Amino acid sequence: MNPDISGGPHARHDEVQEGALRPTLTSNKFYVSNSTTSEFRRADDPNDKSKRKGDLTTYGLFDDGATVLDTGITHPTIDSSISSLSSEVRAAGANAYAAAKDRRANAIIEEKGLDIGFKAITFGTYGAFGKASHKLIATATANSPLPVYSPWVRPGPKAHAYLLFGFTLARANARMLINAGSKRSSARNAVRTSRSRSTSQVAVHE
């Protein structure tokens, strides 16, 4: 899957998922597949048409079985960094977002008796890592061999994962702001053009 970098509604999400989450897992020898709706459906219930699904499914990361991972980045206008709580609790918005996602998904898993785990991997708009994101990086890189130290080569697996997520999120945010600026500029130009035409038509009729 190629990340959506066109500035669409899922552009940041897709870029972090495909540019950081998937590579972190695969480079540390965890099998990853795209999640499907069947994972949240009861196999013995042909009437279960649930459309819910996660983003990626990995195996043996948090549990022996499969775990559905759902990536999330807080919206710029509701990010924890603009609330008073963020001055006291780092990544408050990302953690609250993850808790809501986990609560909804785990309620479905428990209700249907599904044999699968779920973990929301969330980030704050301005770079904060949610608790589950820290846990994923620590768990995924725990058994990966450390390279011989050299300041000129790739750092250890854990440090590399943090840098990969950090830079990918920064690029995604920068692209979002550039695209937003372009759309605002286009909208202003469209208004100016419309006003100019209206004025010209009035002058002709006079």
Side-chain angles (χ1 to χ4, degrees):
M1 174 181 177
N2 293 320
D4 172 13
I5 59 174
S6 63
H10 302 295
R12 290 192 308 158
H13 167 282
D14 291 352
E15 188 157 356
V16 171
Q17 175 186 310
E18 297 301 322
L21 179 56
R22 190 190 295 269
T24 294
L25 294 171
T26 55
S27 66
N28 289 287
K29 313 303 181 186
F30 286 94
Y31 178 74
V32 182
S33 63
N34 291 331
S35 298
T36 64
T37 54
S38 63
E39 292 167 336
F40 279 91
R41 295 176 181 174
R42 288 187 54 167
D44 60 349
D45 183 0
N47 296 315
D48 188 347
K49 305 298 184 182
S50 173
K51 299 294 181 65
R52 185 180 183 87
K53 73 180 186 72
D55 294 319
L56 301 177
T57 301
T58 187
Y59 304 84
L61 179 62
F62 297 114
D63 302 295
D64 292 336
T67 301
V68 174
L69 304 176
D70 194 4
T71 312
I73 306 170
T74 57
H75 192 277
T77 60
I78 59 173
D79 191 73
S80 63
S81 64
I82 61 174
S83 72
S84 59
L85 183 61
S86 67
S87 63
E88 304 171 9
V89 181
R90 183 170 177 78
N95 290 330
Y97 193 18
K101 282 177 170 284
D102 288 341
R103 184 168 55 252
R104 288 193 296 267
N106 287 322
I108 295 172
I109 291 172
E110 183 176 354
E111 178 186 353
K112 296 182 178 181
L114 303 176
D115 185 22
I116 196 166
F118 180 90
K119 186 72 69 175
I121 308 301
T122 57
F123 304 86
T125 292
Y126 305 109
F129 285 54
K131 291 180 181 178
S133 302
H134 287 295
K135 183 177 181 181
L136 178 138
I137 291 173
T139 304
T141 61
N143 298 316
S144 298
L146 295 173
V148 177
Y149 175 76
S150 171
W152 305 110
V153 298
R154 177 194 286 188
K158 186 174 183 179
H160 175 69
Y162 272 110
L163 290 171
L164 183 61
F165 273 105
F167 283 121
T168 302
L169 181 57
R171 284 195 301 269
N173 280 332
R175 190 173 285 112
M176 175 189 69
L177 293 173
I178 292 171
N179 288 331
S182 297
K183 290 177 180 178
R184 291 189 65 185
S185 178
S186 296
R188 285 196 298 269
N189 290 336
V191 170
R192 292 193 188 101
T193 301
S194 176
R195 288 175 177 172
S196 177
R197 288 174 179 171
S198 298
T199 302
S200 298
Q201 290 173 356
V202 170
V204 169
H205 289 303
E206 288 178 348

